Amino acid sequence: MTAHHGSTHRRTFFRRRGPLLFAGLAILMLVGARLALPSVIKRTVNARLNELPTHRAHIEGVGLREITRLEVRRGIVRYRDLEQTPPIDLALHNVSATVDGLAFGAASADDRLPARADLHAFAPGSGHLRLVATGDPAARPPVFEIAAELSESDLTAYSELVNARLGVDVSAGKLHISFEATAKDGRYEGYLKPLISGAQFEEPNEGLLSTLWAKIVNTMSEALTNDETRQMGTRVPFSGNFEENDVEAWPTFIALLQNAFGRALREGVDGQTEAASR
């Protein structure tokens, strides 16, 4: 009788308390997963990243809603267009990048954008690329500021690209590019400022037409070169709303003429963004 009464009491207890026990167990499992998952993700991702032969990256901290810091070391970024004649193959080497402040919804006390990216890389032609960007990863539409500069790159390293676009080879020259862009309230705007110094072009193939075209390109290049700075360049403004893009051709042409015959464009970013001063 006692055994039967004990069995009945246990069944009654589990009928009444069973849902609470399972709910408590589920809560414990969720809390345990919440605490353990970031560590599991970090170990798994870092193990996979270390398997990549030409890339080195490491994640230091992972949360369910944020990556506190992302690093890329000795990376390679390559652009290839094998359908062009000649084929185009350009790459950034020894890419080093850090990204901080990726917490979603993070706010800065001084209203600065919470996330920051800083990138350095060796560009084709022994050039150096520096890029600084700030933004809000949680913002929709995107909110960001970008400033980038490519300095003292040998123009001959881009000969295949120039050949594909202009039909001439590059035999000499230096390339300097500045870039800034901002995005806010669903719109973006910015500019691209390429400057070329000491450019010399030659015909890619033997023949009268090829030789004549190379001479025309060299003559135009010399005519559009500023006498003071000995640089040819322009400033290409652009703007849009993430659905429609607008690259302004007329201001680009005016800037080309102004650089050649008026006030020369200067190397470096214009300082339109806070990212440019960091």
Side-chain angles (χ1 to χ4, degrees):
M1 182 70 179
T2 302
H4 176 72
H5 177 74
S7 176
T8 302
H9 177 74
R10 285 193 295 271
R11 287 196 298 270
T12 303
F13 176 82
F14 279 110
R15 280 199 303 268
R16 293 178 178 178
R17 304 294 185 182
L20 294 177
L21 290 175
F22 282 115
L25 180 60
I27 292 172
L28 288 175
M29 292 177 65
L30 290 173
V31 171
R34 173 65 178 84
L35 295 174
L37 188 57
S39 178
V40 173
I41 293 175
K42 182 176 70 174
R43 289 197 302 269
T44 302
V45 172
N46 284 330
R48 294 299 299 272
L49 290 174
N50 289 333
E51 293 175 358
L52 298 176
T54 58
H55 295 70
R56 293 294 182 269
H58 182 74
I59 293 178
E60 293 184 355
V62 177
L64 292 181
R65 297 188 64 201
E66 65 182 87
I67 299 176
T68 59
R69 183 176 178 86
L70 177 66
E71 293 187 11
V72 177
R73 299 177 182 175
R74 297 186 295 275
I76 296 177
V77 178
R78 171 164 270 122
Y79 167 73
R80 305 180 73 187
D81 188 350
L82 302 181
E83 295 182 359
Q84 293 288 343
T85 304
I88 300 172
D89 189 353
L90 300 172
L92 298 175
H93 292 276
N94 201 25
V95 176
S96 175
T98 59
V99 184
D100 294 292
L102 289 177
F104 290 97
S108 175
D110 56 4
D111 294 329
R112 290 189 176 184
L113 296 173
R116 171 189 168 94
D118 200 330
L119 180 146
H120 296 261
F122 290 121
S126 301
H128 178 257
L129 175 66
R130 169 82 192 283
L131 182 147
V132 177
T134 57
D136 186 351
R140 296 294 183 272
V143 176
F144 60 79
E145 292 187 350
I146 302 175
E149 190 170 357
L150 172 66
S151 58
E152 292 304 312
S153 192
D154 193 329
L155 190 61
T156 59
Y158 303 87
S159 186
E160 289 80 7
L161 180 62
V162 174
N163 190 329
R165 301 295 184 263
L166 293 179
V168 292
D169 285 339
V170 180
S171 57
K174 291 288 185 181
L175 174 65
H176 189 287
I177 297 177
S178 304
F179 171 86
E180 284 186 277
T182 61
K184 189 177 181 180
D185 299 328
R187 293 190 56 80
Y188 66 86
E189 62 180 4
Y191 69 88
L192 178 71
K193 184 170 64 175
L195 296 173
I196 298 174
S197 59
Q200 291 293 324
F201 304 96
E202 60 185 18
E203 63 276 9
N205 304 301
E206 293 183 0
L208 179 60
L209 291 180
S210 182
T211 301
L212 180 60
W213 175 241
K215 288 185 179 296
I216 292 174
V217 173
N218 276 313
T219 301
M220 293 177 60
S221 173
E222 181 62 28
L224 294 173
T225 296
N226 183 275
D227 291 334
E228 177 188 351
T229 63
R230 301 306 301 165
Q231 288 182 325
M232 174 180 61
T234 188
R235 190 178 186 276
V236 185
F238 58 85
S239 60
N241 60 7
F242 296 102
E243 293 181 358
E244 297 180 359
N245 301 313
D246 182 19
V247 177
E248 302 178 40
W250 184 246
T252 301
F253 179 69
I254 294 298
L256 180 67
L257 296 180
Q258 286 179 338
N259 176 75
F261 306 110
R263 186 177 61 182
L265 294 170
R266 301 297 179 180
E267 292 184 356
V269 295
D270 295 346
Q272 293 186 355
T273 64
E274 290 187 8
S277 61
R278 297 190 179 187

